[in-house]
Amino acid sequence: MSRVSPFVGLLFDRSRVGPLERVTTPPYDVISPAEQRRFVDASPHNIIRLDLAESLPGDGDVTDKYRRAACEYRHWRDEGILVPALGPAYYPYEMRFVLHGAPRRIRGLVCAVELEDWGGSIVPHEHTMPGPVEDRLRLVRAIRANLSSIHAVITTPCPALDALLDRECRNEPAAAVTDEQGVQHLLWIVQDAAAVADDLRDRSIMIADGHHRYTTSLLFRDEMRATHGPGPWDRVMMLIVDAATEDPPVLPFHRVLTAGSFPARGNRVRDLQEVLDEVNDDGLVFGVVAREGGELVHRVDRLEGEPPAVCALHDQVLGGKDEDLWFTPDAVEAEEAVRAGQATAALFLPATTAARIRTVIDRGHRLPQKSTYFWPKPRTGMVVRPLDDPSSS
């Protein structure tokens, strides 16, 4: 069963680094090359220098960038750029944002969660790819830290967690930052959350964002156990959100087809906005933008079966075309790829829910890769969990 525990987190000393906007980032896998350069330039202590280290001219091999990141991390700790919390703690976390014109919030708890092999009470909902796993494994071997929280959800109410968040989130946060999309990220530190730990003990946890990082953590755990036995590597830093209470938005990843053709199907509509207005997960309605006779045409069509629509789309339409796809949460970017002749078609999907994803898992299936875009995403650098200190476990 899932077991959660406190850990001694490392936090940026704001008297040394200035506003946290300068040193924190989104998760590594949603950062474009241009954004990476902007974060690098923002501060000599931006977490991007560890989490997405750059290759430099003169590097002997690909591992040089990971060794460089590890040296930087040790320097930050030695110089007091990253400072430890005063003892093992849990970290309530809140994201405040506006979606479709309405103010929203998502709250959860950052904690250390005991790793389990897939098939236990921690379950994935998407497939992983070997490239990102190898990258993350090389990084954690070098740095020996969880730099960012895996984002996970439970889909049944957890009253103890809700009560803790109601109590703690009224206080002044220990860390706060507003990100590039206007989302406020707030973090608190609390030593006692035993009631929450007890309530979470027997619950199944679904990975929302961070499948590659979780898979990496399993591999690193096995490596370290083989030579060192049990240790902090037996757990991973995770933000757990009660999706039944918080209702996190699950936005779509749209599909962009880069090879072959896509047959004209469904009803023609006026433009991209009408496509996005029509797509619907309950009704399995998806949208298409493609060129027909040289003209950019927008359509919507309906699939058969049960939601979520992304599963039906892959089963009934895309088949084995995954190698010809790339994925984006930005509908305008997907449409523009077709307009510019960089893609043959763009397929637009609706938002879904965490509960609906869980029904797929409970039927013994996984969603196709890049099926969901849980948003907002917890900020990298709000708290770091070291893996070289037994007190961090």
Side-chain angles (χ1 to χ4, degrees):
M1 296 299 176
S2 302
R3 290 195 289 272
V4 305
S5 59
F7 64 93
V8 180
L10 302 175
L11 296 97
F12 278 109
D13 182 346
R14 279 168 290 171
S15 70
R16 303 289 302 278
V17 303
L20 292 178
E21 283 82 356
R22 296 179 57 201
V23 294
T24 60
T25 71
Y28 78 101
D29 55 348
V30 298
I31 296 174
S32 70
E35 290 169 329
Q36 181 180 6
R37 173 44 50 192
R38 180 166 57 80
F39 287 127
V40 167
D41 292 342
S43 169
H45 303 119
N46 193 288
I47 198 73
I48 197 79
R49 295 171 180 267
L50 310 185
D51 202 30
L52 203 57
E54 295 180 296
S55 296
L56 298 178
D59 281 355
D61 59 50
V62 69
T63 61
D64 282 356
K65 68 178 182 179
Y66 303 109
R67 286 193 289 267
R68 195 160 44 246
C71 289
E72 194 85 349
Y73 170 64
R74 287 193 295 270
H75 174 71
W76 292 1
R77 293 183 68 177
D78 292 342
E79 295 298 314
I81 303 301
L82 288 170
V83 295
L86 298 176
Y90 297 90
Y91 304 86
Y93 195 96
E94 181 173 325
M95 295 175 281
R96 300 174 183 169
F97 56 98
V98 175
L99 184 64
H100 303 313
R104 295 279 306 276
R105 76 174 186 201
I106 298 295
R107 305 182 304 178
L109 190 70
V110 176
C111 52
V113 176
E114 186 168 350
L115 289 160
E116 299 177 4
D117 293 334
W118 296 127
S121 63
I122 298 177
V123 297
H125 78 270
E126 290 184 348
H127 293 284
T128 58
M129 296 172 282
V133 171
E134 180 60 27
D135 166 62
R136 294 296 95 183
L137 185 56
R138 286 175 168 173
L139 181 65
V140 75
R141 283 171 179 158
I143 290 185
R144 303 209 173 184
N146 298 147
L147 299 176
S148 58
S149 293
I150 291 170
H151 188 179
V153 299
I154 55 174
T155 53
T156 55
C158 181
L161 177 57
D162 194 43
L164 173 75
L165 296 172
D166 279 344
R167 182 178 73 246
E168 296 297 330
C169 293
R170 293 197 205 100
N171 301 324
E172 188 72 18
V177 61
T178 300
D179 71 19
E180 302 74 26
Q181 297 176 312
V183 179
Q184 288 184 284
H185 299 257
L186 308 168
L187 180 110
W188 291 262
I189 303 174
V190 57
Q191 266 70 43
D192 182 16
V196 178
D198 287 343
D199 204 348
L200 290 173
R201 183 179 301 277
D202 298 328
R203 293 176 182 270
S204 179
I205 296 173
M206 183 178 75
I207 304 296
D209 194 23
H211 291 80
H212 293 99
R213 282 169 283 163
Y214 191 89
T215 301
T216 296
S217 297
L218 290 174
L219 295 171
F220 184 69
R221 177 202 64 181
D222 293 346
E223 289 182 357
M224 296 299 286
R225 277 182 176 177
T227 54
H228 300 286
W233 40 83
D234 290 329
R235 295 178 175 85
V236 68
M237 184 167 68
M238 190 177 288
L239 168 65
I240 300 177
V241 172
D242 175 356
T245 302
E246 300 293 328
D247 190 24
V250 187
L251 307 181
F253 264 112
H254 306 299
R255 272 68 180 130
V256 181
L257 187 64
T258 58
S261 60
F262 195 84
R265 54 178 289 170
N267 299 321
R268 186 167 178 173
V269 295
R270 184 174 46 196
D271 54 21
L272 178 60
Q273 186 57 58
E274 192 165 353
V275 168
L276 298 178
D277 289 343
E278 292 289 331
V279 295
N280 181 279
D281 208 43
D282 291 330
L284 295 175
V285 177
F286 74 102
V288 182
V289 172
R291 286 200 173 275
E292 299 178 19
E295 181 185 6
L296 197 69
V297 174
H298 299 76
R299 295 182 180 274
V300 293
D301 197 12
R302 189 179 299 274
L303 299 158
E304 301 295 327
E306 298 180 353
V310 65
C311 293
L313 180 70
H314 277 259
D315 290 344
Q316 299 169 34
V317 177
L318 290 175
K321 294 181 179 179
D322 283 16
E323 68 277 6
D324 298 326
L325 296 176
W326 59 271
F327 312 92
T328 176
D330 187 334
V332 173
E333 180 183 35
E335 181 194 45
E336 184 56 33
V338 180
R339 190 189 310 277
Q342 299 166 345
T344 58
L347 302 134
F348 299 90
L349 286 158
T352 188
T353 65
R356 188 159 281 165
I357 296 166
R358 185 69 209 216
T359 64
V360 175
I361 305 308
D362 290 343
R363 291 198 299 262
H365 304 297
R366 292 194 197 183
L367 278 71
Q369 62 173 302
K370 296 292 185 183
S371 289
T372 58
Y373 191 80
F374 278 81
W375 185 83
K377 298 178 181 296
R379 192 81 170 165
T380 299
M382 296 294 281
V383 61
V384 171
R385 178 176 173 263
L387 297 176
D388 56 1
D389 180 355
S391 68
S392 70
S393 63

